Amino acid sequence: MTRPTMESGASSPLLLGLVLLSLFSVGTVSAQQKFGINYGQIANNLPDPTQVASLLRSMNVNRVKLYDADPKVLTAFANTGVEFIISVGNENLQTMATSPGAARQWVAQHVQPFIPATRITGIIVGNEVLGNNDTAMAASLVPAMQAVYDALAALGLSGRVTVSSAHSVNVLASSFPPSSGAFQEGVAQYVRPLLDFHSKTGSPFLINAYPFFAYKGSPASVSLPYVLFQPNAGVRDGGLVYDNMLYAQIDAVYAAMKAMGHTDIGVRVSETGWPSKGDEDEVGATAQNAAAYNGNLMQRIAMGQGTPLKPSVPIDVFVFALFNENMKPGPASERNYGLFYPNGSPVYAINAGTAGSGDGGGSSVGRFDPYSSQSMFSAASRLVAVRRRLSSLTLLLVLPVLSALLAC
């Protein structure tokens, strides 16, 4: 392909589009640079991974979590600089725990061929294994994690790729007040060696935390502003004040780990989000609430904010999810967590500049904006969106430059 040059009149519109897209991405979407996103694929209408790569790059999203190790996705994101966390399915744990060779084979097939072109930085071994009454799988968790870690070490990759597992916040028997955080008695025997593994390898403890479920279950007693990061009186725990439930859940995990003798392990939120639609009995599942939850969360991420217990440690979050997934089982909400429809258009507008502002004000650090039914995978519609988002001041500054480019 011929590289566009300043001398080519036919390339000027493309150059103009790229300049505008660059200005839009750098100037207004800074919040998206500091959070990760879950890329689920339980659907039959999702775009090709190469299109997804373009979408995420236009948003400045640089961290993605997969629920498998799809080679098409990993290949599509080669040389993009996007960091990937890939996953070992629950169905593989018992085999890996008893046969380290299975872990070596998995790493040789799903990691080694893609590094370094694709930046695989983490492997999640199992999802929400603890607390589901499957004792055989629970007992296999840490041995499987160790087998994957050893396989990476044998290839010299253990310093580049971390090994962890994702847990439901329901592994906690107590989460409020946060300082009383404690693991369920039934999972304690599995958590102790798990924490020792994290401590030894330097990997984080991952939680899937959804304040939506708390609100859905008790809308009369759970404050909506409290779960949406909106202005509220907050709740006090000793000398600490919590103005949102997610931070309280994170700090409850820190307290639970401390009770088991560990203060040397970080907590990362591997999943959190809010559905834009649900069944009639799913209170709070609306696009307005989803936009508020994710937008206000992104604002806090952009601020580098920490929790009350760990104010100097910025929250580390992977939002769920990139797309609505039409084949997920369960209530309607399960199919409506996506920020985007499969055609690439946003499900709702996200203004990531409204955290802590009752009137929707605040500094603008990023905005997703649905524009009719146009697809973000259309170059023309992307340019329309960019033009709509640029401020008149920015246009005044760049128009002379653009005019000069078009004149060439």
Side-chain angles (χ1 to χ4, degrees):
M1 180 180 294
T2 303
R3 185 175 179 179
T5 65
M6 291 286 289
E7 289 73 26
S8 171
S11 69
S12 293
L14 174 60
L15 183 59
L16 170 61
L18 291 175
V19 170
L20 285 172
L21 182 58
S22 175
L23 287 168
F24 172 70
S25 298
V26 173
T28 65
V29 198
S30 59
Q32 285 78 341
Q33 296 175 359
K34 299 182 180 180
F35 81 102
I37 198 159
N38 284 277
Y39 180 5
Q41 299 182 80
I42 305 178
N44 61 7
N45 57 354
L46 297 181
D48 187 89
T50 56
Q51 293 177 300
V52 177
S54 297
L55 171 63
L56 293 184
R57 292 178 73 183
S58 73
M59 294 162 53
N60 285 337
V61 172
N62 57 16
R63 297 196 301 163
V64 175
K65 182 164 76 70
L66 294 179
Y67 291 89
D68 52 20
D70 188 340
K72 291 183 178 179
V73 174
L74 296 177
T75 300
F77 278 84
N79 302 311
T80 63
V82 175
E83 296 181 15
F84 268 85
I85 295 178
I86 60 177
S87 300
V88 175
N90 291 359
E91 68 277 7
N92 297 311
L93 298 191
Q94 290 176 260
T95 301
M96 288 185 174
T98 57
S99 175
R104 290 193 295 269
Q105 182 179 359
W106 191 94
V107 170
Q109 180 180 351
H110 296 101
V111 179
Q112 193 175 13
F114 302 100
I115 286 180
T118 302
R119 294 186 62 193
I120 298 174
T121 59
I123 299 175
I124 292 179
V125 180
N127 184 57
E128 300 190 351
V129 172
L130 302 181
N132 61 10
N133 298 319
D134 189 331
T135 56
M137 186 176 294
S140 298
L141 179 59
V142 174
M145 293 171 68
Q146 186 66 55
V148 172
Y149 179 84
D150 290 343
L152 291 169
L155 295 172
L157 297 175
S158 58
R160 179 186 300 182
V161 183
T162 63
V163 177
S164 190
S165 185
H167 311 281
S168 167
V169 75
N170 292 327
V171 296
L172 298 178
S174 172
S175 61
F176 188 83
S179 60
S180 71
F183 289 107
Q184 293 182 26
E185 185 177 346
V187 304
Q189 61 179 312
Y190 310 115
V191 171
R192 290 185 187 280
L194 174 67
L195 296 181
D196 290 341
F197 175 87
H198 286 309
S199 178
K200 179 181 69 175
T201 64
S203 55
F205 189 95
L206 306 181
I207 60 166
N208 300 336
Y210 289 89
F212 165 70
F213 292 137
Y215 181 74
K216 170 186 169 182
S218 303
S221 58
V222 176
S223 164
L224 185 60
Y226 180 68
V227 294
L228 294 181
F229 305 95
Q230 292 175 335
N232 64 91
V235 295
R236 183 172 293 276
D237 181 11
L240 303 178
V241 177
Y242 290 83
D243 67 354
N244 70 87
M245 181 177 288
L246 181 65
Y247 286 11
Q249 291 175 329
I250 294 172
D251 282 353
V253 175
Y254 277 119
M257 292 194 297
K258 183 177 181 180
M260 285 196 165
H262 283 280
T263 58
D264 55 343
I265 301 168
V267 176
R268 176 182 295 182
V269 179
S270 43
E271 286 184 24
T272 193
W274 197 284
S276 60
K277 187 185 298 184
D279 292 323
E280 289 186 4
D281 61 345
E282 294 191 279
V283 181
T286 68
Q288 181 180 4
N289 288 342
Y293 183 85
N294 287 319
N296 289 335
L297 174 59
M298 289 178 192
Q299 166 74 354
R300 290 172 182 248
I301 293 170
M303 293 166 59
Q305 194 175 76
T307 66
L309 184 64
K310 302 279 188 178
S312 63
V313 179
I315 54 172
D316 195 338
V317 176
F318 281 77
V319 171
F320 186 84
L322 181 56
F323 295 111
N324 281 345
E325 299 171 71
N326 67 346
M327 296 183 69
K328 291 196 71 175
S333 61
E334 289 294 319
R335 294 176 289 282
N336 289 279
Y337 274 92
L339 299 180
F340 291 90
Y341 294 110
N343 72 352
S345 60
V347 175
Y348 46 80
I350 291 182
N351 187 349
T354 61
S357 174
D359 60 1
S363 59
S364 177
V365 295
R367 182 176 175 84
F368 293 117
D369 190 5
Y371 23 91
S372 186
S373 61
Q374 294 171 319
S375 167
M376 280 195 73
F377 301 135
S378 159
S381 65
R382 282 200 301 269
L383 186 55
V384 169
V386 169
R387 285 172 173 160
R388 289 175 58 187
R389 296 275 67 88
L390 285 171
S391 67
S392 57
L393 176 59
T394 303
L395 284 174
L396 287 173
L397 292 173
V398 301
L399 276 177
V401 177
L402 297 177
S403 297
L405 289 174
L406 291 173
C408 293

